[in-house]
Amino acid sequence: MKHACDKDSSVQEPATKRIKMTHNQDYGVASSTTESQMESFNEESPDMFAEYDDFVPDPHSGDAGVSRGLTIQELPRTDISVGSQYPPLQLTSHRPKSPENGATSPLLPSHTVLVDLNSLRENRVPSPYPKERVDKWDASHVRLPWSSSSRYPVTIGNREQLFQRWDVITEALSPLKSLDWTLDSKVLAIKIKDAIMKYNKRYVDEFSWRFVMLIEFLEDLEDDTEKQAFYTRILPGMVELCLQGPKAITGALPLLVADKSASITLSQHQISVLLANAFFCTFPRRNSTNKRDFEYKFYPDINFNRMLSNNSRRAEAQLEKIKTILAYFRRVIESPPTGLVTFTRQTVPESEFIDWSKDTTPIPDNFVRLSSAGVIETEGKGMLQVDFANKKIGGGVLGLGLVQEEIRFTICPELIISRLFTEKLMANEVVFMHGAEQYSRHTGYGDTYRFDGMHTDTVPRDMHMRRNTTILAMDAVSFSRDKEVQYEAKFIERELNKAYIGFRPLNPNLKRINAVATGNWGCGAFGGDPQLKFLIQLLAGIVTDRKVCYFTFGEEGLVTQGWKAYQSFIENELNVSDVYNLIIRFKDRQDPKQTLFEFLEEKISGNESQNGGDTSRYDVDTDEEEEKTADHTKKSANQNMAGNEESKKSANAWSTNAAPECSKQTSLAGDKSEQVKESGEVRVKVEDDVEAVSRMEEGRAQIKREDLDTKIKKEDLDIKIKTEDPDIKIKQEDLNTKVKTEDLDIKIKQEDLDIKIKTEDISKTIKQEDTSTTSNLTNGAKIVGESKNGAKIGSQQNSGDETKQNGGKSGGDTVKNGANPLLADDNGKKAAQTKITDFFKK
């Protein structure tokens, strides 16, 4: 078959040569078409009249390219590792009140089934339901062209009379079943156009009703075999399908309106009848899209006139699209399909949305696969397959669109019929399409799209003869005008909620759900950031417990960087709210060139993402607070005098509770009294061969306490008690005081989950004398612990002298105004003396 644009290059240059740079709206990649690709494209695509080749895709073909995470085989897939996912249908035991509802589903409310389920048989077209035709002509149902209420004006003589539209359509199309295929190709093509325009006269002068692409396509049927096959088999078969409408669809077909969950189940044969009517543009009231009072202004168009008329862009690819659609009609004419397809509009109220800022679901390991190779419809077999949808489902499939959504609808034309009854999607809605079959293969996208031969779908069917392929149509927000606004919390939450609605299983009774196959949703021309969209879909998958298979469509960098980010979430034990709260801070980044992954790495490496999304958890003592003057420290200590007795009890409680925490082995060795920091390990070398080696996991030691957390600050080798307000600052979680260390004077850090502190007779070491706690550290050992929020814990002994601390008893007694907390009080004030005997032994 010769391409139209090859006839006379001086008249019209092929679209593939005119437009060398393509930008894929939904795949999210811009590709410069190479000369070799051009040459390959300009070669003839497979003949739609050729014999079927029973092509079966290689299930391991997705292993090429760069991939990280789970293998395809490890992901749960329908009919492979998990059972059927879509809710089953349930036969009604009595005649329903509404005759068009022949069956119900307990899990799919408002489910209209226009097929007699008792008639389901292998290799037999099922019967329609109900037996007697129901005719509804109202705003809640599709206005079918064979309705008795559908009229069309016909001029007879000088008078205009109203006739049944279906009679006019039948009279106009019937002659097409017996055209003389030997006539001139252009003459035959114009006969098809004229027949369609007999019941669409008001559009005769409109650009989108010229049918120039159809005429151009049919003129290319130079080969007699092709031409004869089309005019003697395919075209008559399409007309016959179209005119079967009143017999094939006997029930009223409801509209899937906004803000209401509902489902429709049709047979594949019924869908082919409806699509044939769409090809011949028979649906009334679906064409006046520019009128303000247009009844279907919130619905996509369904008649094929735009696809068959528009050649303003990518003419070559558009011809390939028409070829793909006609290949579908050839298949269903020669071998009528016998299965069912269910369309479900899922609406979720805002009250059921996730609070992303507080969700504590941990980021799990072994949950995701990232791959630069493979496509959703092939390598995603058995998974929930995402359609990067337009608000009006199908996008530009009936126009010039040829990216992710439009291509999927073109190679699986049964999806196109969803445009007949699906209103524009709202923010809290998605559409599931279960059972659609793939009829063709393709290569390329956009300007490089090509029909690549017939496809034999081998996906098993469920108990209701539906292919176990579920396609999820979810629309993204377009940020093409201002890409930066996508990082605002309201838009991030919108996309998170949309993905959450889509990933939520329709059947809540499932014990195990299949993975979702997705990719750069809403990127490309929509301006979405692939890094952000990966994280959004990852979080949505986690909260719905649906593993994610993410195809980057050739972007290897996204695979490696996305995997690195995912691993950092796991290593730092982050949860959903942690990641969410970090993402929404990205809009305030200092460097506008910084990527989202780079920003997250910076914040996580700085431990800013620890402990959930509650930012108050990070309101600890900062470096600035560490540098507050000694006067403030004295003032805080004086204000704390009233808590003297309580502090004594707390100090004793601290000593008692600290002992068990320190009961792990302690090793003492050393030569000199000096402190050494090396490789995250603090070595305290003290005279007389005393050395304390302490390590704490993730830079923090947890010391259990009951009522009080005393923050101790060390300056110039002296111990000071630092307090704020009248009371000592208390920060307690789960009855534990987490003392975190940082690089001040001494870091106490744990590595390899070991705390190496040898102790002997710890339980006997704390001894309270009178009103003070006295501790002797043998051989002049000095152990200092320092918390992340500025608190430092220490005990000191110099040649048998007792250490004198501010306030006396670990924050119990305080010093009067002007008193030097580092000096002993000669006026008889009680000083805090800590005496620990035999606490550390070599």
Side-chain angles (χ1 to χ4, degrees):
M1 175 178 177
K2 187 175 67 175
H3 292 302
C5 294
D6 294 337
K7 291 190 304 178
D8 186 357
S9 59
S10 64
V11 176
Q12 182 179 17
E13 188 179 11
T16 51
K17 293 183 179 179
R18 294 197 309 271
I19 306 172
K20 287 196 174 185
M21 176 66 76
T22 63
H23 198 84
N24 185 354
Q25 171 180 329
D26 292 303
Y27 279 97
V29 290
S31 63
S32 180
T33 308
T34 64
E35 292 300 325
S36 61
Q37 288 174 323
M38 291 295 183
E39 292 176 4
S40 175
F41 179 80
N42 287 328
E43 294 176 359
E44 288 191 11
S45 59
D47 185 359
M48 71 175 184
F49 304 100
E51 295 301 318
Y52 308 144
D53 60 0
D54 293 329
F55 172 82
V56 179
D58 179 6
H60 304 291
S61 60
D63 292 339
V66 176
S67 62
R68 296 289 187 276
L70 298 171
T71 65
I72 290 288
Q73 291 72 27
E74 291 174 317
L75 291 164
R77 292 170 292 163
T78 305
D79 295 322
I80 299 174
S81 53
V82 297
S84 183
Q85 302 283 295
Y86 218 77
L89 303 177
Q90 177 177 297
L91 283 169
T92 52
S93 58
H94 59 280
R95 188 173 182 82
K97 294 181 180 179
S98 183
E100 70 268 20
N101 295 319
T104 63
S105 172
L107 301 174
L108 295 177
S110 302
H111 192 170
T112 299
V113 181
L114 296 182
V115 181
D116 182 359
L117 298 183
N118 288 316
S119 68
L120 291 179
R121 299 288 188 276
E122 192 74 35
N123 300 321
R124 192 176 86 177
V125 174
S127 303
Y129 186 90
K131 291 183 179 180
E132 301 297 327
R133 189 157 66 92
V134 176
D135 187 359
K136 289 193 175 182
W137 185 264
D138 57 41
S140 299
H141 294 81
V142 174
R143 297 186 189 274
L144 295 169
W146 49 84
S147 170
S148 59
S149 299
S150 182
R151 303 295 182 92
Y152 190 79
V154 177
T155 302
I156 299 178
N158 294 327
R159 297 181 56 187
E160 191 174 81
Q161 301 180 25
L162 290 177
F163 284 82
Q164 294 286 330
R165 175 184 291 270
W166 193 244
D167 291 340
V168 177
I169 292 171
T170 301
E171 183 178 346
L173 296 181
S174 293
L176 299 181
K177 294 191 289 184
S178 57
L179 291 176
D180 183 358
W181 69 271
T182 62
L183 295 176
D184 180 74
S185 294
K186 187 170 184 178
V187 171
L188 291 172
I190 292 176
K191 285 181 177 292
I192 297 174
K193 172 194 172 183
D194 291 344
I196 295 173
M197 296 309 298
K198 285 182 179 180
Y199 45 87
N200 290 291
K201 290 182 179 179
R202 70 170 66 179
Y203 311 113
V204 67
D205 295 324
E206 293 193 12
F207 175 83
S208 59
W209 289 83
R210 296 183 305 159
F211 293 95
V212 292
M213 292 305 292
L214 176 63
I215 295 172
E216 202 165 344
F217 178 87
L218 296 177
E219 281 189 275
D220 282 346
L221 298 176
E222 297 293 342
D223 184 89
D224 284 349
T225 302
E226 292 181 354
K227 185 178 177 182
Q228 183 179 10
F230 178 78
Y231 285 105
T232 62
R233 289 159 43 198
I234 296 179
L235 180 61
M238 293 173 62
V239 173
E240 185 63 32
L241 278 176
C242 175
L243 299 182
Q244 286 182 27
K247 295 180 180 179
I249 295 94
T250 55
L253 185 58
L255 296 171
L256 296 181
V257 298
D259 205 28
K260 179 182 178 182
S261 294
S263 297
I264 296 171
T265 293
L266 298 164
S267 72
Q268 289 179 286
H269 174 67
Q270 288 174 322
I271 292 173
S272 67
V273 169
L274 292 169
L275 285 176
N277 274 269
F279 184 91
F280 292 113
C281 307
T282 68
F283 290 105
R285 301 195 182 185
R286 301 300 292 263
N287 304 313
S288 302
T289 56
N290 296 326
K291 292 185 178 180
R292 289 186 178 182
D293 58 348
F294 179 45
E295 181 179 359
Y296 291 96
K297 63 181 177 181
F298 296 120
Y299 289 78
D301 58 351
I302 184 61
N303 291 322
F304 278 33
N305 57 289
R306 283 198 304 129
M307 183 179 70
L308 301 176
S309 298
N310 200 333
N311 67 344
S312 61
R313 181 181 171 215
R314 60 173 56 132
E316 191 81 7
Q318 194 74 354
L319 291 173
E320 293 291 319
K321 182 195 288 187
I322 294 173
K323 182 191 288 188
T324 308
I325 295 297
L326 291 176
Y328 158 76
F329 281 116
R330 177 206 168 185
R331 171 72 68 85
V332 298
I333 290 167
E334 295 179 352
S335 180
T338 59
L340 307 183
V341 182
T342 297
F343 302 86
T344 298
R345 188 185 191 109
Q346 174 83 334
T347 302
V348 175
E350 291 186 10
S351 59
E352 297 182 23
F353 286 0
I354 297 291
D355 187 342
W356 300 98
S357 66
K358 297 179 181 179
D359 191 275
T360 58
T361 307
I363 307 297
D365 197 3
N366 297 320
F367 195 82
V368 66
R369 171 182 172 82
L370 281 153
S371 179
S372 63
V375 291
I376 291 172
E377 63 268 20
T378 303
E379 282 71 28
K381 179 181 178 181
M383 305 179 199
L384 176 64
Q385 301 177 1
V386 176
D387 160 30
F388 307 159
N390 191 285
K391 288 181 181 180
K392 291 184 177 180
I393 195 165
V397 64
L398 297 185
L400 295 174
L402 268 172
V403 288
Q404 199 260 7
E405 180 176 35
E406 291 88 352
I407 290 175
R408 190 65 191 271
F409 277 53
T410 300
I411 63 176
C412 305
E414 289 161 345
L415 303 176
I416 296 176
I417 209 60
S418 63
R419 297 169 63 88
L420 177 63
F421 43 72
T422 306
E423 191 174 6
K424 181 174 70 173
L425 293 176
M426 308 302 287
N428 62 331
E429 297 177 314
V430 296
V431 170
F432 296 94
M433 296 167 282
H434 178 68
E437 192 166 326
Q438 181 177 342
Y439 291 86
S440 303
R441 303 194 307 272
H442 82 283
T443 60
Y445 60 87
D447 295 337
T448 62
Y449 173 85
R450 290 181 66 197
F451 170 72
D452 196 37
M454 303 295 291
H455 175 82
T456 300
D457 199 325
T458 59
V459 174
R461 297 183 185 272
D462 65 12
M463 62 184 296
H464 297 297
M465 299 292 290
R466 298 175 296 190
R467 295 281 181 193
N468 258 327
T469 298
T470 304
I471 297 169
L472 161 64
M474 62 181 196
D475 60 298
V477 176
S478 176
F479 301 105
S480 56
R481 294 185 178 180
D482 186 357
K483 295 182 179 181
E484 196 62 27
V485 299
Q486 67 185 294
Y487 305 114
E488 294 180 8
K490 64 179 180 180
F491 289 113
I492 292 174
E493 287 190 13
R494 189 274 183 194
E495 304 292 69
L496 279 167
N497 291 331
K498 177 70 74 166
Y500 165 72
I501 296 167
F503 293 179
R504 251 179 31 160
L506 280 173
N507 188 348
N509 299 326
L510 294 173
K511 293 182 179 179
R512 192 174 181 218
I513 60 177
N514 59 349
V516 58
T518 186
N520 298 337
W521 168 53
C523 300
F526 269 25
D529 179 356
Q531 295 186 4
L532 176 60
K533 289 301 169 66
F534 164 67
L535 295 178
I536 284 174
Q537 294 179 88
L538 174 64
L539 296 185
I542 290 171
V543 298
T544 56
D545 197 28
R546 191 184 291 276
K547 292 185 177 181
V548 177
C549 183
Y550 196 96
F551 297 99
T552 66
F553 309 112
E555 294 189 38
E556 296 183 355
L558 182 57
V559 173
T560 55
Q561 295 168 18
W563 180 253
K564 182 179 179 182
Y566 169 64
Q567 287 297 299
S568 70
F569 300 159
I570 297 172
E571 292 167 2
N572 289 275
E573 299 182 358
L574 304 190
N575 59 36
V576 169
S577 64
D578 292 331
V579 178
Y580 168 79
N581 285 294
L582 284 174
I583 292 174
I584 62 175
R585 293 170 57 190
F586 179 64
K587 65 180 179 63
D588 298 323
R589 64 194 182 283
Q590 298 299 315
D591 182 2
K593 295 183 179 179
Q594 188 177 38
T595 68
L596 178 57
F597 286 160
E598 290 171 347
F599 176 83
L600 295 177
E601 181 180 7
E602 174 186 293
K603 298 305 177 184
I604 293 174
S605 63
N607 293 324
E608 294 192 31
S609 59
Q610 298 289 333
N611 301 321
D614 185 0
T615 56
S616 65
R617 299 187 185 195
Y618 311 129
D619 293 338
V620 297
D621 293 337
T622 63
D623 292 339
E624 182 179 358
E625 290 171 325
E626 284 288 337
E627 296 170 359
K628 287 183 179 178
T629 63
D631 291 339
H632 179 75
T633 302
K634 295 176 187 177
K635 180 179 179 181
S636 298
N638 289 330
Q639 289 175 334
N640 193 46
M641 293 181 67
N644 204 5
E645 292 301 320
E646 185 64 28
S647 297
K648 298 176 190 176
K649 297 177 183 179
S650 298
N652 292 334
W654 174 82
S655 300
T656 302
N657 290 327
E661 289 292 330
C662 300
S663 62
K664 297 187 179 181
Q665 291 186 344
T666 300
S667 173
L668 299 179
D671 312 288
K672 302 177 182 179
S673 179
E674 61 178 328
Q675 300 172 357
V676 181
K677 299 179 182 179
E678 181 180 345
S679 303
E681 175 181 270
V682 178
R683 299 182 178 178
V684 183
K685 297 184 178 180
V686 190
E687 294 179 358
D688 300 324
D689 298 324
V690 178
E691 177 183 2
V693 180
S694 303
R695 298 183 180 180
M696 291 184 291
E697 181 181 8
E698 296 180 0
R700 63 180 182 267
Q702 295 185 350
I703 301 179
K704 293 184 179 178
R705 306 180 58 185
E706 295 180 354
D707 299 307
L708 184 62
D709 178 10
T710 304
K711 291 187 174 183
I712 303 175
K713 183 176 181 182
K714 175 179 176 295
E715 292 184 6
D716 302 324
L717 301 178
D718 294 309
I719 307 300
K720 290 184 180 181
I721 297 179
K722 178 183 176 184
T723 63
E724 295 183 4
D725 301 323
D727 299 318
I728 297 173
K729 190 175 183 180
I730 298 175
K731 189 176 181 80
Q732 182 175 359
E733 293 181 14
D734 302 327
L735 300 180
N736 295 331
T737 299
K738 299 183 178 179
V739 180
K740 303 180 179 179
T741 66
E742 289 184 340
D743 296 338
L744 290 175
D745 291 329
I746 299 178
K747 257 190 179 177
I748 301 178
K749 189 174 183 182
Q750 180 185 0
E751 294 179 3
D752 303 324
L753 303 177
D754 295 325
I755 300 175
K756 300 181 179 178
I757 304 176
K758 287 190 176 181
T759 65
E760 293 183 9
D761 301 323
I762 292 179
S763 61
K764 300 178 181 179
T765 58
I766 301 175
K767 183 177 180 183
Q768 181 177 6
E769 297 180 2
D770 299 324
T771 60
S772 64
T773 303
T774 306
S775 301
N776 285 336
L777 177 62
T778 62
N779 298 323
K782 178 167 66 175
I783 308 297
V784 178
E786 181 177 350
S787 73
K788 180 177 179 180
N789 52 10
K792 300 181 182 180
I793 301 172
S795 62
Q796 177 177 332
Q797 193 243 7
N798 298 314
S799 303
D801 294 336
E802 295 178 345
T803 301
K804 299 180 180 181
Q805 301 179 359
N806 177 29
K809 307 171 187 64
S810 297
D813 296 336
T814 56
V815 186
K816 290 182 178 180
N817 291 336
N820 189 340
L822 303 179
L823 302 178
D825 192 337
D826 296 331
N827 295 325
K829 290 183 291 186
K830 295 179 181 180
Q833 299 176 334
T834 304
K835 184 177 182 182
I836 304 176
T837 59
D838 295 326
F839 197 97
F840 297 111
K841 290 185 178 180
K842 187 172 181 181

